[in-house]
Amino acid sequence: MTLAMLAGLAHELLGSGLAGLNRVTPRNPLFYVAFAALYFVPPLADYWIFRRLWRIPLGGLVALIKKRIANDVVMGYSGEAYFYAWARSRAQAVAAPFGAVKDVSILSAIAGNAVTLAMIAVALPVGRNLIPPEMMRYVYGSLVVIFGTSLPFLIFSRKVFSLSRGELWAIFGIHCLRLILGGFFLALAWALAMPSVAIGTWLFLSAGRMLFSRLPLLPNKDLLFANFAILMIGQDKALSELIAFTAAAVLLVHALLIVGFGIHHLATRKPA
């Protein structure tokens, strides 16, 4: 899995990633503080969850960061497979790893769908005129798919989930908080990079980005979001460069962390 992460990162960086880093670099140092918070919110939320479930050590955060990288650059849920393998290798400290990893992954998807539906309820009346009319049928169809994919897990929750109801609600709440904080820090980073645009507008665009990313039936999601953002605030060149730089910076941090973890492992492993 680590080799697959390296291959995926090389493909992304040598493809369009390095081009994104050639964009105009934000000069406000607070942008990078907000970006760091944006990057580490997902693995820290996962660490909070699994620390609650298993009391995993701080070293488990490394496995959770690799889980996020695998999901980003290899394929969906490959990170869960990696983390499950990590948990299985520590069976003496981790109880029922498959059931917990499964439940946390399902709740992550349900929380994402719930937050997306809430954002749509707020954003669609405001931004409906900014979405091309021919795309609205994809939006409505996607809403049905989002709701429909969550419904069976809720109806058959006693057969699907392994954890107690109290733990499930706590994990669901942490996932929702993760999504909200991620949207906030993304909006804050963009606002610090382009202070001429109000942070309220960036918050709306951050919500729209999550909305577009989770609508399953929409073709060309990135292009549609970019057009939506340009219609909202104008400044198409500066905005496209900022979005490209943010995406490329995530890939660069992925690569640096994977290389750093590998060097640390080689330097500290014990001889057979």
Side-chain angles (χ1 to χ4, degrees):
M1 186 63 73
T2 301
L3 291 174
M5 292 184 210
L6 289 170
L9 283 166
H11 177 267
E12 294 289 344
L13 281 172
L14 295 176
S16 58
L18 292 177
L21 289 174
N22 291 329
R23 309 292 184 177
V24 176
T25 304
R27 296 184 178 182
N28 189 338
L30 292 178
F31 168 85
Y32 300 96
V33 175
F35 175 81
L38 167 68
Y39 185 91
F40 286 106
V41 158
L44 286 173
D46 281 342
Y47 180 75
W48 182 6
I49 290 170
F50 288 105
R51 178 73 177 174
R52 178 189 179 97
L53 294 176
W54 297 335
R55 301 293 177 188
I56 62 173
L58 188 60
L61 183 59
V62 173
L64 290 166
I65 292 173
K66 288 184 177 181
K67 167 179 170 288
R68 185 214 165 153
I69 295 173
N71 283 336
D72 281 358
V73 302
V74 181
M75 61 184 299
Y77 294 104
S78 60
E80 276 70 21
Y82 173 85
F83 185 68
Y84 172 65
W86 178 89
R88 278 291 301 271
S89 69
R90 288 153 180 80
Q92 70 279 6
V94 173
F98 178 78
V101 172
K102 166 182 64 68
D103 287 3
V104 171
S105 299
I106 293 173
L107 287 170
S108 175
I110 293 175
N113 290 346
V115 172
T116 300
L117 289 172
M119 288 180 173
I120 290 173
V122 174
L124 196 57
V126 180
R128 182 175 180 177
N129 293 333
L130 299 176
I131 301 175
E134 64 273 11
M135 300 302 293
M136 284 305 300
R137 61 190 181 95
Y138 291 108
V139 173
Y140 292 134
S142 297
L143 291 178
V144 174
V145 173
I146 287 176
F147 183 76
T149 53
S150 298
L151 196 59
F153 294 107
L154 300 177
I155 294 174
F156 301 105
S157 60
R158 292 186 179 181
K159 296 183 180 294
V160 170
F161 295 111
S162 306
L163 300 173
S164 67
R165 187 173 295 273
E167 291 289 3
L168 293 174
W169 277 111
I171 293 168
F172 177 78
I174 293 171
H175 279 312
C176 289
L177 180 62
R178 165 182 63 83
L179 292 164
I180 293 169
L181 287 176
F184 171 76
F185 283 121
L186 177 62
L188 181 61
W190 283 347
L192 291 167
M194 291 181 62
S196 59
V197 180
I199 190 171
T201 302
W202 287 121
L203 285 170
F204 185 82
L205 284 177
S206 177
R209 181 175 178 269
M210 181 183 294
L211 186 157
F212 284 118
S213 69
R214 298 192 70 89
L215 293 180
L217 301 182
L218 283 178
N220 300 320
K221 297 176 187 178
D222 292 338
L223 179 60
L224 183 61
F225 170 71
N227 290 335
F228 176 78
I230 290 169
L231 285 171
M232 277 285 296
I233 67 173
Q235 305 183 48
D236 53 341
K237 185 175 185 296
L239 179 60
S240 62
E241 288 179 346
L242 177 59
I243 293 173
F245 178 84
T246 304
V250 170
L251 290 174
L252 180 61
V253 175
H254 283 347
L256 292 175
L257 287 174
I258 283 292
V259 172
F261 292 151
I263 293 173
H264 179 267
H265 175 73
L266 292 174
T268 58
R269 70 175 182 173
K270 298 179 180 179

